[in-house]
Amino acid sequence: MYKRQELDDMTHRFWVSAALTLPLFVYAMGDLIPGQPLMHLVPADWAAWLQFALAAPVVLWGGWPFFVRGWQSLISWNLNMFTLIGLGVSVAYGYSVVAALAPQIFPESFREGGAVAVYFEAAGVIVTLILLGQVLELRARSQTGAAIKKLLGLAAKTARRIREDGSDEDVPLDAVHVGDRLRVRPGEKVPVDGIVLEG
């Protein structure tokens, strides 16, 4: 994918994921607030489904590029960061989906306050943070590429070659060969690497 398109795509995925992950995270961590005011906003039966509704787009759409890269790393047996991300997010999300759909299959020791704990917020936060990292990396690469182009623009386009009779001629850089003698006047750019013979 063209780098600018990839940056735009990752930026879009990040902002949508961040908008969904923030309320998911706040609600999931709401039991740490004294008095637990957020826990009373949604009936306990619906808590897991609310978290599922917020996490599903983040994990399945926002995190899709990471799953693709993780799968490719498994196929090629070239394990990398995306293998770990895909595995971690898949386990947290998959476990949570099963806990929301079929809580009765879990033993009593898995229950907290009568409900099986879910980790939708962990999956959502991981995906959102990795998306942020990708956006920052792609933006840095884009700026580096632009800086390199500017540097290349500063390079000399021609060289002043000294003829056998001592006169000068301007030639394109690709016409300069090993052994040619070049003249660089004060203030001019040095067109190629070489040895200073005089001056």
Side-chain angles (χ1 to χ4, degrees):
M1 183 185 291
Y2 177 65
K3 292 296 178 193
R4 184 69 210 176
Q5 288 176 332
E6 187 178 8
L7 174 58
D8 292 343
D9 179 55
M10 286 293 179
T11 302
H12 180 66
R13 287 176 191 270
F14 166 71
W15 285 114
V16 171
S17 298
L20 294 169
T21 300
L22 183 62
L24 171 65
F25 179 76
V26 170
Y27 181 79
M29 297 294 115
D31 60 339
L32 301 176
I33 300 172
Q36 300 181 348
L38 299 177
M39 297 297 114
H40 305 296
L41 293 176
V42 178
D45 304 359
W46 289 91
W49 292 108
L50 170 67
Q51 293 178 65
F52 170 77
L54 290 169
V58 174
V59 172
L60 301 177
W61 176 75
W64 181 252
F66 308 139
F67 289 120
V68 170
R69 293 174 188 174
W71 180 251
Q72 289 170 345
S73 73
L74 285 173
I75 291 174
S76 66
W77 205 241
N78 186 14
L79 307 181
N80 57 32
M81 175 185 79
F82 295 107
T83 315
L84 184 61
I85 293 166
L87 181 62
V89 171
S90 298
V91 169
Y93 184 75
Y95 169 86
S96 299
V97 168
V98 172
L101 292 174
Q104 69 277 5
I105 67 171
F106 292 89
E108 196 61 38
S109 61
F110 279 60
R111 300 179 188 281
E112 295 176 16
V116 177
V118 292
Y119 301 98
F120 288 118
E121 87 286 350
V125 168
I126 290 170
V127 168
T128 303
L129 289 176
I130 299 301
L131 282 168
L132 175 60
Q134 290 296 296
V135 168
L136 294 175
E137 179 184 344
L138 289 167
R139 192 173 292 158
R141 278 193 206 166
S142 171
Q143 292 170 351
T144 302
I148 290 172
K149 284 179 184 174
K150 284 182 183 177
L151 281 175
L152 291 174
L154 295 175
K157 307 283 189 282
T158 61
R160 189 177 315 272
R161 183 167 50 197
I162 302 173
R163 295 182 178 141
E164 294 293 327
D165 63 3
S167 62
D168 298 344
E169 67 174 330
D170 286 335
V171 295
L173 286 182
D174 57 355
V176 175
H177 302 291
V178 176
D180 284 350
R181 291 183 65 204
L182 306 177
R183 185 182 317 275
V184 180
R185 292 184 178 155
E188 288 183 340
K189 299 172 185 172
V190 177
V192 292
D193 290 341
I195 299 169
V196 176
L197 299 175
E198 58 182 272

